[in-house]
């Protein structure tokens, strides 16, 4: 999934928190990391900016949710 699609999915989840299994702070943090990675000058910088989010997702997000998987 592209960063643009991940940003859009995260924005959608934030707009409708009642249907999301994730809390607002997780989604806001994810959105900031995704936007930062999307603005990175190259793929290596984007990967560095996404690393903390990847750990957060693998450690604490439900894996049966679309964004968690």
């Amino acid at each position: 999934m592209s960063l643009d699609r991940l940003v859009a999915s995260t924005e959608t989840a934030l707009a409708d928190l009642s249907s999301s299994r994730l809390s607002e702070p997780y989604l806001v943090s994810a959105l900031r990391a995704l936007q930062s990675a999307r603005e990175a000058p190259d793929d290596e910088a984007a990967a560095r900016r996404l690393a903390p989010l990847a750990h957060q997702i693998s450690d604490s997000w439900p894996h049966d949710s679309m964004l968690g998987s």
Side-chain angles (χ1 to χ4, degrees):
M1 187 178 281
S2 73
L3 285 174
D4 289 332
R5 287 181 59 200
L6 286 169
V7 167
S9 294
T10 307
E11 288 172 337
T12 299
L14 267 170
D16 188 15
L17 285 172
S18 64
S19 67
S20 176
R21 295 184 55 208
L22 300 167
S23 68
E24 184 176 9
Y26 280 133
L27 292 170
V28 169
S29 173
L31 183 58
R32 287 182 183 145
L34 291 167
Q35 289 170 331
S36 175
R38 187 172 59 179
E39 296 167 1
D42 55 46
D43 289 343
E44 188 175 315
R48 279 194 309 272
R49 292 177 184 189
L50 288 173
L53 177 59
H55 289 287
Q56 176 185 337
I57 290 169
S58 67
D59 291 347
S60 60
W61 287 27
H63 295 279
D64 59 344
S65 73
M66 184 186 75
L67 290 172
S69 62

